[in-house]
Structure formats: C-alpha cells, structure tokens
Amino acid sequence: MKLIIEPEEGVAPILSAIKSAKKSVELAVFRFDHKEIEAALKATVGKGVRVTALIAHANRGGEKNLRKLELRFLDSGIIVARSSDDLVRYHDKFILIDRRILYVLSFNFTHMDIDHSRAFGIITHNVKWVHEAVRLFRADCTRTAFVPSVETFVVSPANSRKSLGAFLRRAKKQLLIYDPKITDKEMLRIMQERAKAGVEVRVIGKVPGRARLNAAKLAGCRLHTRTIIRDRHQAFVGSQSLREAELDSRRELGLIIRDPSIVKKLTETFEADWAAGAKKEEHPQEQKEIHVEVSVPIDEKREEKREEAEAEKAKAEAEKAVETLEKELHPLATTVKKAVRKAVAKAGEEVLRDKEVKDTVKKVVKKAVKEAVQEAVEASDNG
C-alpha cells in the first residue's frame, strides 16, 4: 500500500499508473481537464489496453465539458459509460489497473486538485478492496444496485453513514480531521461527545461555530481531501465530507486503512498543515500568499434543489430540440456512430460480446446525439 500526497507529488503517480496497465484501465470521472492524463489514456489504448471511463452525469457548472469529454474519449478509442441520474452526484474518483491495483483518490483529474490542493490518494493491491471496486464500477456502469460487503470499503450512500459514524465513535485519544465543511448533525454530535469524553478533536476545514470544536484553515493551498486520522493508528481517506448530502444522496468512495507507515505520513502532514494554519492565524498581516477556494453554497439543500430543477429543465429543452430538429438528427447520429465504431475497433472485438457495456455505450451515444442537437439549436439562435 502506498500514499499519494498532493500537491507535492503532482500528476506523476496517475500517469505512472495508466502507463503500467497491461490489460485494462477503468476509471470513475467527476471532473477532468488534465491534458497529460488524457494523452496517457489515449496512448494506452494505442497499446491495445482496454480503457473504460465512467463519467458523471453532471457536476456543478461543468456538464457541457463532461459531454465533450465523452466524445473525445470515444474518438480516442476509450469505452465510455455514464453514471445514472438517480443520485444528486457521482462524486467518487478511483482507478482500477488490470483489476489488480486500486487507486482511491480524494482529488479529481484536474490541474486545480492535483497541482494546487491538499489531497491524498491510496494505492492498494488488497484483494477484497479491488474486488469491491470492480463490483462498484460494473454496477455504476450498468446502473444496477451496489451492496458493499466490506466495512472498510466506504461507499455513499450504501454504508458510509454507518461506517464513518462507528469510526468516529471508536476514538479513544484523538481525531485529526481534514474536511472542507462539516455540517451533518449526527457526525457533529459524535465529535462533540468524543470531545466531552476527553478525546482531542482538531479539524482543518470548516465546522459550525455552535459546535465549539477546535478548527483551523488550511494555509498555502486549497483544501480538497476528506481524511480522518483516529488515535494515530487508523485513517479514513476518501471523497465524502461529513455532510448529509455526501453521506446519503451522492456516490462517494473512501477506504479505512490501518497501514502504520501511511497513517504516520498522514499524521505528519496534518500536524505540519495545522502548524502552518496556526502560524497564519497568529500573524495574518505577514501572510500574503494567494489562497484559492471554491465557493460553497450557504444552503446546501436549496442548492441541490436548484441543480435538480435546472437538470429537469435542460432535459425538457433537449427533448423539445430533438422533436423540432428531427430531420437534422440523422446526419448527426451518423457522425457519432462513426466515433463509436472507431472506439470499438480500437478496444477490440471482445467489447461486442459484452452486452452490458454495449448497451451502456448505446445509451450514452443516444443522449450525446440529443445534446449535440441542443447545442446546434443554441448556436443557431445565438448566430
């Protein structure tokens, strides 16, 4: 087992993982803008490796980019599946290499997360975790239910509330937590109970003032990881914050690890970040560094309802555009079909025998065609 620490290690561990693949690369994507990673995936396809990307159906402000990414991937010979819209978001990020090595990441495949954010990744050969990840990837590609069978493989909304609640309750001496924003009432109550019981609780990130927990800001870079270190013996690293939506309404993934060397590195990194944050609080006038943050809505539930309403509106507009321009659909569909044929040719004939993957690709193409038509309508209107 190995630990990736960002931004110190940069993109190198991800590129190394992709280039090492002999048979297959499978990755879940929420945000993606890193050209080096895209080039590495394309080159890996060129070596005869089957690459499959599960792309989120939406993310805040970037859905059009996701759809463009799908078409670029298809054109490069990458097999594309899209997550369902049954959950608010599919926010997990992981990579499977040859179905032998699992990379669970707290960062996206973006320059901001990799080069400018505190984030972690876990690299593991653990057979149980790899098996669970294969099951999760297939379930989300085929839009079927996933039921976790390993407590330390933490998946939202399946078992994360139960697993992380139990993880916090078991703290005897100390909880060191990285979390951009903790708001879940149950998790806050557990943390307060542990603090009253004499457990040292420190948070790098945001907690409500009424919680009266010891918190500090991260100095020097953006905070993007979700990590909990318990009693300096175990740690959770993943994509889910201790917030209601990320525990109950979104797809998130993390691991509870016991590897002493990794827990030690996480603890040392936390202590260094805590000290830097404390120094900044003591001497704010001396700190002139640029601090980049992503704005977080004050009312999370209201924001999620707004996003759902916008998604419904966009869907209705796309359907209307398709009906209006039905005559234009045929040549556009032909263009996309060419991309799919190219993808299948590069991926190998075995994809044609995989009915689930083939059906998923068909669904993605149909939706891509509709959305491409909608963009054509918008371009025509704006012209």
Side-chain angles (χ1 to χ4, degrees):
M1 189 180 296
K2 295 181 180 179
L3 175 68
I4 301 171
I5 302 176
E6 302 294 11
E8 286 84 347
E9 296 184 50
V11 73
I14 304 304
L15 296 179
S16 177
I18 295 168
K19 292 175 183 177
S20 72
K22 304 299 182 184
K23 297 180 179 179
S24 65
V25 176
E26 294 158 305
L27 68 160
V29 175
F30 179 67
R31 293 190 189 278
F32 193 113
D33 68 13
H34 209 294
K35 296 300 182 183
E36 285 185 80
I37 298 176
E38 188 169 343
L41 291 170
K42 184 176 181 179
T44 299
V45 171
K47 295 189 300 182
V49 175
R50 174 172 165 164
V51 178
T52 307
L54 170 62
I55 299 178
H57 75 279
N59 63 39
R60 188 168 62 233
E63 189 169 354
K64 281 190 177 181
N65 290 333
L66 290 176
R67 303 294 77 84
K68 290 177 182 178
L69 178 66
E70 288 176 347
L71 292 177
R72 290 204 310 275
F73 274 6
L74 282 169
D75 190 55
S76 298
I78 296 169
I79 300 166
V80 173
R82 188 183 301 174
S83 67
S84 178
D85 57 2
D86 58 332
L87 298 174
V88 174
R89 291 181 192 167
Y90 277 72
H91 185 249
D92 55 339
K93 322 99 168 43
F94 65 98
I95 309 173
L96 281 161
I97 302 296
D98 297 331
R99 297 197 169 185
R100 296 187 306 105
I101 309 172
L102 171 63
Y103 288 64
V104 173
L105 312 173
S106 68
F107 54 91
N108 293 292
F109 304 107
T110 66
H111 285 283
M112 178 61 76
D113 282 8
I114 293 172
D115 300 328
H116 303 288
S117 304
R118 168 64 73 224
F120 301 113
I122 299 296
I123 308 171
T124 177
H125 291 77
N126 184 291
V127 175
K128 290 183 178 179
W129 285 342
V130 170
H131 179 67
E132 288 290 276
V134 170
R135 290 179 55 236
L136 176 63
F137 190 82
R138 176 161 289 275
D140 285 348
C141 279
T142 57
R143 302 184 179 188
T144 55
F146 173 78
V147 180
S149 59
V150 179
E151 183 183 3
T152 53
F153 191 82
V154 184
V155 181
S156 296
N159 69 346
S160 59
R161 180 172 289 281
K162 179 180 178 182
S163 293
L164 292 179
F167 186 77
L168 292 171
R169 287 189 185 95
R170 290 169 185 158
K172 304 297 183 184
K173 297 180 180 179
Q174 188 182 64
L175 285 169
L176 305 178
I177 302 173
Y178 284 102
D179 198 311
K181 189 176 184 180
I182 303 175
T183 58
D184 186 80
K185 293 180 180 179
E186 180 186 1
M187 299 302 163
L188 284 168
R189 185 171 62 251
I190 295 171
M191 293 164 64
Q192 289 169 327
E193 290 171 354
R194 291 292 80 211
K196 288 179 181 178
V199 174
E200 178 191 16
V201 180
R202 282 187 278 155
V203 179
I204 293 179
K206 294 182 180 180
V207 295
R210 65 182 183 278
R212 296 184 180 180
L213 294 168
N214 195 6
K217 293 180 180 179
L218 179 66
C221 65
R222 173 173 168 263
L223 176 60
H224 197 265
T225 191
R226 284 78 166 160
T227 298
I228 306 170
I229 306 161
R230 190 184 79 199
D231 296 333
R232 304 198 174 208
H233 292 303
Q234 294 187 355
F236 164 80
V237 176
S239 66
Q240 52 264 71
S241 287
L242 300 177
R243 298 195 294 165
E244 183 178 359
E246 297 187 28
L247 296 171
D248 302 330
S249 306
R250 292 163 50 155
R251 172 68 81 233
E252 309 281 358
L253 175 63
L255 299 174
I256 294 174
I257 59 176
R258 298 176 173 82
D259 185 284
S261 63
I262 290 181
V263 174
K264 182 181 178 184
K265 288 180 182 178
L266 288 170
T267 303
E268 290 172 349
T269 304
F270 183 96
E271 293 291 7
D273 286 344
W274 181 270
K279 183 178 180 181
K280 184 176 180 180
E281 290 290 329
E282 291 174 7
H283 306 288
Q285 70 279 8
E286 297 176 8
Q287 304 296 323
K288 297 183 179 180
E289 59 207 5
I290 297 174
H291 184 61
V292 183
E293 289 191 11
V294 172
S295 60
V296 180
I298 296 174
D299 189 336
E300 184 180 333
K301 290 186 178 180
R302 185 184 303 166
E303 173 67 14
E304 288 170 359
K305 288 181 180 178
R306 183 187 66 78
E307 289 178 354
E308 290 172 3
E310 288 181 355
E312 287 297 321
K313 182 180 178 181
K315 182 178 179 182
E317 289 175 351
E319 290 173 354
K320 184 178 179 180
V322 171
E323 291 174 5
T324 304
L325 296 179
E326 188 175 6
K327 291 181 181 180
E328 296 184 24
L329 184 60
H330 179 70
L332 188 59
T334 301
T335 300
V336 180
K337 285 177 182 177
K338 285 181 181 178
V340 176
R341 282 199 295 271
K342 187 174 181 181
V344 171
K346 290 184 178 181
E349 292 184 359
E350 66 175 321
V351 70
L352 296 174
R353 296 192 293 272
D354 191 328
K355 185 177 183 302
E356 291 176 327
V357 172
K358 186 166 64 176
D359 289 346
T360 301
V361 171
K362 285 181 180 178
K363 291 177 183 177
V364 168
V365 170
K366 287 179 181 178
K367 192 165 184 179
V369 169
K370 289 183 180 181
E371 289 164 341
V373 171
Q374 184 186 359
E375 289 182 9
V377 175
E378 293 173 352
S380 176
D381 290 342
N382 294 331

